[in-house]
Amino acid sequence: MNRFINEADGSQTAFLDGNPPARLCEPVKEWIEKNGGEVVCSCPVSQIQLNEDSTVKSLKLSNGTEVIADYYISAVPVDVFKRLVPRQWSTLPYFRQLDELEGIPVINLQLWFDKKLDSTDGLCFSRSPLLSVYADMSNCCAEYANDKRSMLELVFAPCSLDAGAAVNWIAKGDEEIVDAAMKELERLFPLEIGSTAPDDRRANLIKSTVVRVPRSVYAATPGRNKYRPSQESPIDNFVMAGDYATQKYLGSMEGAVLSGKLAAEVVCDKVAGNDERNGIKDVHSSVAREYDEREPVGIVGNGPTAFGGGQQGGCEHP
């Protein structure tokens, strides 16, 4: 949070004017296809195939097809990438340092109310021990705009014992999670939520969704920053992106965007023959040693959580 506040516009937040698939992903897909590219969905990478010199030969997809390119950029979550690291790369400290980064569980909630809350038009950092940030999307997002009813979107975290929660919420049922969130909201909106709120102002919950992300952003525990890899890697035609790669933000959407920009700059510099780039970040001395080879574990499961996403209901752990 301090990093954002230090930015010139750090106190400002912006929201898409609709749902991300329609307002972000689809326009990006259209731009790529318009410029001669192709977006392949529902067919994840199952193997990174290498040449004898350990550069990337191709990507094998789950349907058996191969993708051959000049350069390859990984933008998958760190826990997913670690399962794909080829045997020949597993001895390199650059890749082994990723063992020190591990995603933590996060729960996202959407709560619909029958009345309008007295809420802010923007993202709020909560003083609640369970609700880290929240926003009233009826104020912040055009698609959910409503003058009479509120829809809160919240991040329920920490939600596991490893992440510091007193209760392993990620394993609890939806009803328990929503009930706990509502109790916290009674503290945040005492005049509008809960049994003590005046009848004429009390907002009742009419709908809810619970989305679990078993492996979200990496745990930003003390000392993790030194294990974040540079975008440029020891493999000539392989570049690392993702919010966990080195950039000034922690794991976040903003960090992912900046890391992607830095990864694109590495590729552009390589193509242009520009040797005046940042290069490969030195690996910390605690991991700079020799390692035995190990085979990639591979991805287990086909659901969205197996690839670092979130879903409602039961979850597959990556």
PDB file of all heavy atoms in Angstrom, residues 129-160:
ATOM      1  N   PRO A 129     -10.452  -7.284  10.328  1.00  0.00           N
ATOM      2  CA  PRO A 129      -9.404  -8.315  10.243  1.00  0.00           C
ATOM      3  C   PRO A 129      -9.699  -9.376   9.187  1.00  0.00           C
ATOM      4  O   PRO A 129      -8.826 -10.170   8.869  1.00  0.00           O
ATOM      5  CB  PRO A 129      -9.405  -8.933  11.648  1.00  0.00           C
ATOM      6  CG  PRO A 129     -10.796  -8.721  12.142  1.00  0.00           C
ATOM      7  CD  PRO A 129     -11.230  -7.404  11.587  1.00  0.00           C
ATOM      8  N   LEU A 130     -10.903  -9.370   8.631  1.00  0.00           N
ATOM      9  CA  LEU A 130     -11.275 -10.376   7.625  1.00  0.00           C
ATOM     10  C   LEU A 130     -11.453  -9.792   6.229  1.00  0.00           C
ATOM     11  O   LEU A 130     -11.209 -10.481   5.245  1.00  0.00           O
ATOM     12  CB  LEU A 130     -12.580 -11.072   8.033  1.00  0.00           C
ATOM     13  CG  LEU A 130     -12.532 -12.003   9.243  1.00  0.00           C
ATOM     14  CD1 LEU A 130     -13.908 -12.610   9.488  1.00  0.00           C
ATOM     15  CD2 LEU A 130     -11.495 -13.097   9.050  1.00  0.00           C
ATOM     16  N   LEU A 131     -11.880  -8.552   6.144  1.00  0.00           N
ATOM     17  CA  LEU A 131     -12.163  -7.942   4.844  1.00  0.00           C
ATOM     18  C   LEU A 131     -11.076  -6.919   4.533  1.00  0.00           C
ATOM     19  O   LEU A 131     -11.070  -5.823   5.089  1.00  0.00           O
ATOM     20  CB  LEU A 131     -13.545  -7.278   4.862  1.00  0.00           C
ATOM     21  CG  LEU A 131     -14.701  -8.172   5.344  1.00  0.00           C
ATOM     22  CD1 LEU A 131     -15.990  -7.375   5.409  1.00  0.00           C
ATOM     23  CD2 LEU A 131     -14.857  -9.394   4.445  1.00  0.00           C
ATOM     24  N   SER A 132     -10.149  -7.288   3.656  1.00  0.00           N
ATOM     25  CA  SER A 132      -8.998  -6.408   3.435  1.00  0.00           C
ATOM     26  C   SER A 132      -9.360  -5.178   2.620  1.00  0.00           C
ATOM     27  O   SER A 132      -8.966  -4.055   2.956  1.00  0.00           O
ATOM     28  CB  SER A 132      -7.859  -7.185   2.761  1.00  0.00           C
ATOM     29  OG  SER A 132      -8.288  -7.745   1.542  1.00  0.00           O
ATOM     30  N   VAL A 133     -10.078  -5.356   1.519  1.00  0.00           N
ATOM     31  CA  VAL A 133     -10.529  -4.225   0.706  1.00  0.00           C
ATOM     32  C   VAL A 133     -11.938  -4.510   0.205  1.00  0.00           C
ATOM     33  O   VAL A 133     -12.354  -5.665   0.099  1.00  0.00           O
ATOM     34  CB  VAL A 133      -9.601  -3.948  -0.502  1.00  0.00           C
ATOM     35  CG1 VAL A 133      -8.225  -3.507  -0.056  1.00  0.00           C
ATOM     36  CG2 VAL A 133      -9.500  -5.169  -1.416  1.00  0.00           C
ATOM     37  N   TYR A 134     -12.658  -3.448  -0.110  1.00  0.00           N
ATOM     38  CA  TYR A 134     -13.996  -3.627  -0.666  1.00  0.00           C
ATOM     39  C   TYR A 134     -14.375  -2.392  -1.472  1.00  0.00           C
ATOM     40  O   TYR A 134     -13.758  -1.330  -1.354  1.00  0.00           O
ATOM     41  CB  TYR A 134     -15.038  -3.882   0.435  1.00  0.00           C
ATOM     42  CG  TYR A 134     -15.281  -2.715   1.364  1.00  0.00           C
ATOM     43  CD1 TYR A 134     -16.267  -1.778   1.086  1.00  0.00           C
ATOM     44  CD2 TYR A 134     -14.506  -2.543   2.515  1.00  0.00           C
ATOM     45  CE1 TYR A 134     -16.494  -0.692   1.934  1.00  0.00           C
ATOM     46  CE2 TYR A 134     -14.726  -1.469   3.367  1.00  0.00           C
ATOM     47  CZ  TYR A 134     -15.726  -0.545   3.062  1.00  0.00           C
ATOM     48  OH  TYR A 134     -15.938   0.518   3.893  1.00  0.00           O
ATOM     49  N   ALA A 135     -15.403  -2.542  -2.293  1.00  0.00           N
ATOM     50  CA  ALA A 135     -15.921  -1.424  -3.078  1.00  0.00           C
ATOM     51  C   ALA A 135     -17.400  -1.653  -3.335  1.00  0.00           C
ATOM     52  O   ALA A 135     -17.849  -2.792  -3.497  1.00  0.00           O
ATOM     53  CB  ALA A 135     -15.171  -1.288  -4.402  1.00  0.00           C
ATOM     54  N   ASP A 136     -18.143  -0.566  -3.352  1.00  0.00           N
ATOM     55  CA  ASP A 136     -19.561  -0.633  -3.720  1.00  0.00           C
ATOM     56  C   ASP A 136     -19.641  -0.449  -5.225  1.00  0.00           C
ATOM     57  O   ASP A 136     -19.489   0.654  -5.744  1.00  0.00           O
ATOM     58  CB  ASP A 136     -20.353   0.464  -2.995  1.00  0.00           C
ATOM     59  CG  ASP A 136     -21.859   0.322  -3.196  1.00  0.00           C
ATOM     60  OD1 ASP A 136     -22.270  -0.370  -4.148  1.00  0.00           O
ATOM     61  OD2 ASP A 136     -22.605   0.895  -2.391  1.00  0.00           O
ATOM     62  N   MET A 137     -19.863  -1.542  -5.923  1.00  0.00           N
ATOM     63  CA  MET A 137     -19.832  -1.501  -7.383  1.00  0.00           C
ATOM     64  C   MET A 137     -21.002  -0.734  -7.976  1.00  0.00           C
ATOM     65  O   MET A 137     -20.964  -0.342  -9.139  1.00  0.00           O
ATOM     66  CB  MET A 137     -19.792  -2.923  -7.941  1.00  0.00           C
ATOM     67  CG  MET A 137     -18.606  -3.750  -7.452  1.00  0.00           C
ATOM     68  SD  MET A 137     -17.013  -2.971  -7.806  1.00  0.00           S
ATOM     69  CE  MET A 137     -16.837  -3.334  -9.543  1.00  0.00           C
ATOM     70  N   SER A 138     -22.053  -0.500  -7.176  1.00  0.00           N
ATOM     71  CA  SER A 138     -23.160   0.326  -7.671  1.00  0.00           C
ATOM     72  C   SER A 138     -22.726   1.778  -7.816  1.00  0.00           C
ATOM     73  O   SER A 138     -23.369   2.561  -8.518  1.00  0.00           O
ATOM     74  CB  SER A 138     -24.368   0.217  -6.738  1.00  0.00           C
ATOM     75  OG  SER A 138     -24.115   0.850  -5.492  1.00  0.00           O
ATOM     76  N   ASN A 139     -21.628   2.152  -7.172  1.00  0.00           N
ATOM     77  CA  ASN A 139     -21.049   3.493  -7.322  1.00  0.00           C
ATOM     78  C   ASN A 139     -19.880   3.509  -8.302  1.00  0.00           C
ATOM     79  O   ASN A 139     -19.680   4.481  -9.032  1.00  0.00           O
ATOM     80  CB  ASN A 139     -20.532   4.019  -5.976  1.00  0.00           C
ATOM     81  CG  ASN A 139     -21.638   4.257  -4.977  1.00  0.00           C
ATOM     82  OD1 ASN A 139     -22.762   4.578  -5.345  1.00  0.00           O
ATOM     83  ND2 ASN A 139     -21.323   4.090  -3.697  1.00  0.00           N
ATOM     84  N   CYS A 140     -19.101   2.422  -8.300  1.00  0.00           N
ATOM     85  CA  CYS A 140     -17.803   2.431  -8.986  1.00  0.00           C
ATOM     86  C   CYS A 140     -17.835   1.908 -10.419  1.00  0.00           C
ATOM     87  O   CYS A 140     -16.909   2.180 -11.191  1.00  0.00           O
ATOM     88  CB  CYS A 140     -16.796   1.579  -8.201  1.00  0.00           C
ATOM     89  SG  CYS A 140     -16.528   2.129  -6.524  1.00  0.00           S
ATOM     90  N   CYS A 141     -18.840   1.139 -10.768  1.00  0.00           N
ATOM     91  CA  CYS A 141     -18.835   0.452 -12.060  1.00  0.00           C
ATOM     92  C   CYS A 141     -20.152   0.699 -12.787  1.00  0.00           C
ATOM     93  O   CYS A 141     -21.239   0.454 -12.239  1.00  0.00           O
ATOM     94  CB  CYS A 141     -18.625  -1.045 -11.844  1.00  0.00           C
ATOM     95  SG  CYS A 141     -18.629  -2.016 -13.353  1.00  0.00           S
ATOM     96  N   ALA A 142     -20.048   1.171 -14.019  1.00  0.00           N
ATOM     97  CA  ALA A 142     -21.238   1.533 -14.795  1.00  0.00           C
ATOM     98  C   ALA A 142     -22.188   0.358 -14.980  1.00  0.00           C
ATOM     99  O   ALA A 142     -23.414   0.529 -14.958  1.00  0.00           O
ATOM    100  CB  ALA A 142     -20.817   2.089 -16.156  1.00  0.00           C
ATOM    101  N   GLU A 143     -21.655  -0.840 -15.157  1.00  0.00           N
ATOM    102  CA  GLU A 143     -22.507  -1.995 -15.401  1.00  0.00           C
ATOM    103  C   GLU A 143     -23.408  -2.312 -14.206  1.00  0.00           C
ATOM    104  O   GLU A 143     -24.516  -2.813 -14.363  1.00  0.00           O
ATOM    105  CB  GLU A 143     -21.655  -3.222 -15.733  1.00  0.00           C
ATOM    106  CG  GLU A 143     -22.469  -4.469 -16.055  1.00  0.00           C
ATOM    107  CD  GLU A 143     -21.603  -5.625 -16.513  1.00  0.00           C
ATOM    108  OE1 GLU A 143     -20.509  -5.367 -17.062  1.00  0.00           O
ATOM    109  OE2 GLU A 143     -22.013  -6.781 -16.340  1.00  0.00           O
ATOM    110  N   TYR A 144     -22.926  -1.998 -12.994  1.00  0.00           N
ATOM    111  CA  TYR A 144     -23.679  -2.287 -11.773  1.00  0.00           C
ATOM    112  C   TYR A 144     -24.286  -1.031 -11.158  1.00  0.00           C
ATOM    113  O   TYR A 144     -24.776  -1.070 -10.027  1.00  0.00           O
ATOM    114  CB  TYR A 144     -22.771  -2.969 -10.744  1.00  0.00           C
ATOM    115  CG  TYR A 144     -22.169  -4.257 -11.242  1.00  0.00           C
ATOM    116  CD1 TYR A 144     -20.827  -4.318 -11.612  1.00  0.00           C
ATOM    117  CD2 TYR A 144     -22.937  -5.410 -11.364  1.00  0.00           C
ATOM    118  CE1 TYR A 144     -20.272  -5.495 -12.078  1.00  0.00           C
ATOM    119  CE2 TYR A 144     -22.389  -6.585 -11.828  1.00  0.00           C
ATOM    120  CZ  TYR A 144     -21.052  -6.622 -12.189  1.00  0.00           C
ATOM    121  OH  TYR A 144     -20.503  -7.794 -12.660  1.00  0.00           O
ATOM    122  N   ALA A 145     -24.270   0.082 -11.874  1.00  0.00           N
ATOM    123  CA  ALA A 145     -24.769   1.344 -11.341  1.00  0.00           C
ATOM    124  C   ALA A 145     -26.227   1.218 -10.908  1.00  0.00           C
ATOM    125  O   ALA A 145     -27.068   0.690 -11.633  1.00  0.00           O
ATOM    126  CB  ALA A 145     -24.627   2.446 -12.383  1.00  0.00           C
ATOM    127  N   ASN A 146     -26.497   1.696  -9.689  1.00  0.00           N
ATOM    128  CA  ASN A 146     -27.850   1.611  -9.154  1.00  0.00           C
ATOM    129  C   ASN A 146     -27.990   2.646  -8.043  1.00  0.00           C
ATOM    130  O   ASN A 146     -27.188   2.675  -7.112  1.00  0.00           O
ATOM    131  CB  ASN A 146     -28.117   0.204  -8.615  1.00  0.00           C
ATOM    132  CG  ASN A 146     -29.584  -0.063  -8.363  1.00  0.00           C
ATOM    133  OD1 ASN A 146     -30.302   0.778  -7.829  1.00  0.00           O
ATOM    134  ND2 ASN A 146     -30.038  -1.250  -8.738  1.00  0.00           N
ATOM    135  N   ASP A 147     -28.997   3.485  -8.144  1.00  0.00           N
ATOM    136  CA  ASP A 147     -29.211   4.525  -7.138  1.00  0.00           C
ATOM    137  C   ASP A 147     -29.995   4.026  -5.938  1.00  0.00           C
ATOM    138  O   ASP A 147     -30.077   4.724  -4.907  1.00  0.00           O
ATOM    139  CB  ASP A 147     -29.955   5.712  -7.759  1.00  0.00           C
ATOM    140  CG  ASP A 147     -29.121   6.441  -8.800  1.00  0.00           C
ATOM    141  OD1 ASP A 147     -27.876   6.437  -8.654  1.00  0.00           O
ATOM    142  OD2 ASP A 147     -29.695   7.008  -9.744  1.00  0.00           O
ATOM    143  N   LYS A 148     -30.551   2.817  -6.035  1.00  0.00           N
ATOM    144  CA  LYS A 148     -31.433   2.332  -4.972  1.00  0.00           C
ATOM    145  C   LYS A 148     -30.887   1.114  -4.234  1.00  0.00           C
ATOM    146  O   LYS A 148     -31.312   0.832  -3.116  1.00  0.00           O
ATOM    147  CB  LYS A 148     -32.800   1.991  -5.559  1.00  0.00           C
ATOM    148  CG  LYS A 148     -33.529   3.192  -6.144  1.00  0.00           C
ATOM    149  CD  LYS A 148     -34.900   2.813  -6.675  1.00  0.00           C
ATOM    150  CE  LYS A 148     -35.631   4.043  -7.215  1.00  0.00           C
ATOM    151  NZ  LYS A 148     -36.973   3.687  -7.743  1.00  0.00           N
ATOM    152  N   ARG A 149     -29.949   0.395  -4.846  1.00  0.00           N
ATOM    153  CA  ARG A 149     -29.419  -0.814  -4.225  1.00  0.00           C
ATOM    154  C   ARG A 149     -27.907  -0.881  -4.387  1.00  0.00           C
ATOM    155  O   ARG A 149     -27.368  -0.428  -5.394  1.00  0.00           O
ATOM    156  CB  ARG A 149     -30.055  -2.071  -4.830  1.00  0.00           C
ATOM    157  CG  ARG A 149     -31.542  -2.206  -4.555  1.00  0.00           C
ATOM    158  CD  ARG A 149     -32.077  -3.502  -5.160  1.00  0.00           C
ATOM    159  NE  ARG A 149     -33.475  -3.727  -4.784  1.00  0.00           N
ATOM    160  CZ  ARG A 149     -34.165  -4.813  -5.110  1.00  0.00           C
ATOM    161  NH1 ARG A 149     -33.587  -5.776  -5.818  1.00  0.00           N
ATOM    162  NH2 ARG A 149     -35.423  -4.941  -4.727  1.00  0.00           N
ATOM    163  N   SER A 150     -27.249  -1.456  -3.402  1.00  0.00           N
ATOM    164  CA  SER A 150     -25.789  -1.588  -3.441  1.00  0.00           C
ATOM    165  C   SER A 150     -25.376  -3.024  -3.750  1.00  0.00           C
ATOM    166  O   SER A 150     -26.088  -3.973  -3.410  1.00  0.00           O
ATOM    167  CB  SER A 150     -25.168  -1.178  -2.103  1.00  0.00           C
ATOM    168  OG  SER A 150     -25.171   0.218  -1.939  1.00  0.00           O
ATOM    169  N   MET A 151     -24.226  -3.149  -4.394  1.00  0.00           N
ATOM    170  CA  MET A 151     -23.581  -4.449  -4.583  1.00  0.00           C
ATOM    171  C   MET A 151     -22.128  -4.282  -4.159  1.00  0.00           C
ATOM    172  O   MET A 151     -21.366  -3.554  -4.791  1.00  0.00           O
ATOM    173  CB  MET A 151     -23.658  -4.919  -6.034  1.00  0.00           C
ATOM    174  CG  MET A 151     -23.224  -6.391  -6.212  1.00  0.00           C
ATOM    175  SD  MET A 151     -21.447  -6.664  -6.303  1.00  0.00           S
ATOM    176  CE  MET A 151     -21.204  -6.607  -8.057  1.00  0.00           C
ATOM    177  N   LEU A 152     -21.773  -4.920  -3.048  1.00  0.00           N
ATOM    178  CA  LEU A 152     -20.403  -4.836  -2.550  1.00  0.00           C
ATOM    179  C   LEU A 152     -19.572  -5.970  -3.108  1.00  0.00           C
ATOM    180  O   LEU A 152     -20.012  -7.123  -3.149  1.00  0.00           O
ATOM    181  CB  LEU A 152     -20.371  -4.905  -1.021  1.00  0.00           C
ATOM    182  CG  LEU A 152     -21.008  -3.770  -0.222  1.00  0.00           C
ATOM    183  CD1 LEU A 152     -20.753  -3.972   1.272  1.00  0.00           C
ATOM    184  CD2 LEU A 152     -20.489  -2.408  -0.666  1.00  0.00           C
ATOM    185  N   GLU A 153     -18.373  -5.631  -3.526  1.00  0.00           N
ATOM    186  CA  GLU A 153     -17.381  -6.646  -3.884  1.00  0.00           C
ATOM    187  C   GLU A 153     -16.257  -6.535  -2.862  1.00  0.00           C
ATOM    188  O   GLU A 153     -15.741  -5.438  -2.610  1.00  0.00           O
ATOM    189  CB  GLU A 153     -16.859  -6.437  -5.296  1.00  0.00           C
ATOM    190  CG  GLU A 153     -15.938  -7.538  -5.751  1.00  0.00           C
ATOM    191  CD  GLU A 153     -16.022  -7.813  -7.248  1.00  0.00           C
ATOM    192  OE1 GLU A 153     -16.788  -7.121  -7.947  1.00  0.00           O
ATOM    193  OE2 GLU A 153     -15.305  -8.711  -7.707  1.00  0.00           O
ATOM    194  N   LEU A 154     -15.886  -7.681  -2.260  1.00  0.00           N
ATOM    195  CA  LEU A 154     -14.942  -7.665  -1.149  1.00  0.00           C
ATOM    196  C   LEU A 154     -13.883  -8.742  -1.315  1.00  0.00           C
ATOM    197  O   LEU A 154     -14.135  -9.793  -1.910  1.00  0.00           O
ATOM    198  CB  LEU A 154     -15.679  -7.912   0.185  1.00  0.00           C
ATOM    199  CG  LEU A 154     -16.970  -7.146   0.446  1.00  0.00           C
ATOM    200  CD1 LEU A 154     -18.178  -8.013   0.107  1.00  0.00           C
ATOM    201  CD2 LEU A 154     -17.064  -6.702   1.894  1.00  0.00           C
ATOM    202  N   VAL A 155     -12.708  -8.468  -0.777  1.00  0.00           N
ATOM    203  CA  VAL A 155     -11.654  -9.477  -0.670  1.00  0.00           C
ATOM    204  C   VAL A 155     -11.641  -9.964   0.773  1.00  0.00           C
ATOM    205  O   VAL A 155     -11.376  -9.191   1.694  1.00  0.00           O
ATOM    206  CB  VAL A 155     -10.278  -8.914  -1.058  1.00  0.00           C
ATOM    207  CG1 VAL A 155      -9.193  -9.962  -0.824  1.00  0.00           C
ATOM    208  CG2 VAL A 155     -10.279  -8.466  -2.517  1.00  0.00           C
ATOM    209  N   PHE A 156     -11.957 -11.239   0.950  1.00  0.00           N
ATOM    210  CA  PHE A 156     -12.003 -11.872   2.269  1.00  0.00           C
ATOM    211  C   PHE A 156     -10.639 -12.511   2.504  1.00  0.00           C
ATOM    212  O   PHE A 156     -10.344 -13.577   1.984  1.00  0.00           O
ATOM    213  CB  PHE A 156     -13.115 -12.931   2.263  1.00  0.00           C
ATOM    214  CG  PHE A 156     -13.466 -13.499   3.614  1.00  0.00           C
ATOM    215  CD1 PHE A 156     -14.639 -13.144   4.255  1.00  0.00           C
ATOM    216  CD2 PHE A 156     -12.638 -14.422   4.240  1.00  0.00           C
ATOM    217  CE1 PHE A 156     -14.987 -13.691   5.482  1.00  0.00           C
ATOM    218  CE2 PHE A 156     -12.959 -14.969   5.457  1.00  0.00           C
ATOM    219  CZ  PHE A 156     -14.141 -14.604   6.094  1.00  0.00           C
ATOM    220  N   ALA A 157      -9.804 -11.820   3.275  1.00  0.00           N
ATOM    221  CA  ALA A 157      -8.433 -12.301   3.505  1.00  0.00           C
ATOM    222  C   ALA A 157      -7.857 -11.594   4.722  1.00  0.00           C
ATOM    223  O   ALA A 157      -8.207 -10.433   4.999  1.00  0.00           O
ATOM    224  CB  ALA A 157      -7.564 -12.034   2.273  1.00  0.00           C
ATOM    225  N   PRO A 158      -6.975 -12.295   5.463  1.00  0.00           N
ATOM    226  CA  PRO A 158      -6.470 -13.648   5.217  1.00  0.00           C
ATOM    227  C   PRO A 158      -7.545 -14.700   5.491  1.00  0.00           C
ATOM    228  O   PRO A 158      -8.410 -14.498   6.332  1.00  0.00           O
ATOM    229  CB  PRO A 158      -5.303 -13.777   6.202  1.00  0.00           C
ATOM    230  CG  PRO A 158      -5.669 -12.850   7.319  1.00  0.00           C
ATOM    231  CD  PRO A 158      -6.368 -11.695   6.691  1.00  0.00           C
ATOM    232  N   CYS A 159      -7.455 -15.807   4.761  1.00  0.00           N
ATOM    233  CA  CYS A 159      -8.504 -16.815   4.890  1.00  0.00           C
ATOM    234  C   CYS A 159      -7.946 -18.217   5.111  1.00  0.00           C
ATOM    235  O   CYS A 159      -8.661 -19.203   4.958  1.00  0.00           O
ATOM    236  CB  CYS A 159      -9.404 -16.792   3.664  1.00  0.00           C
ATOM    237  SG  CYS A 159      -8.575 -17.160   2.110  1.00  0.00           S
ATOM    238  N   SER A 160      -6.666 -18.325   5.456  1.00  0.00           N
ATOM    239  CA  SER A 160      -6.082 -19.630   5.768  1.00  0.00           C
ATOM    240  C   SER A 160      -5.158 -19.481   6.973  1.00  0.00           C
ATOM    241  O   SER A 160      -4.684 -18.384   7.289  1.00  0.00           O
ATOM    242  CB  SER A 160      -5.300 -20.183   4.579  1.00  0.00           C
ATOM    243  OG  SER A 160      -4.122 -19.423   4.358  1.00  0.00           O
TER     244      SER A 160
END
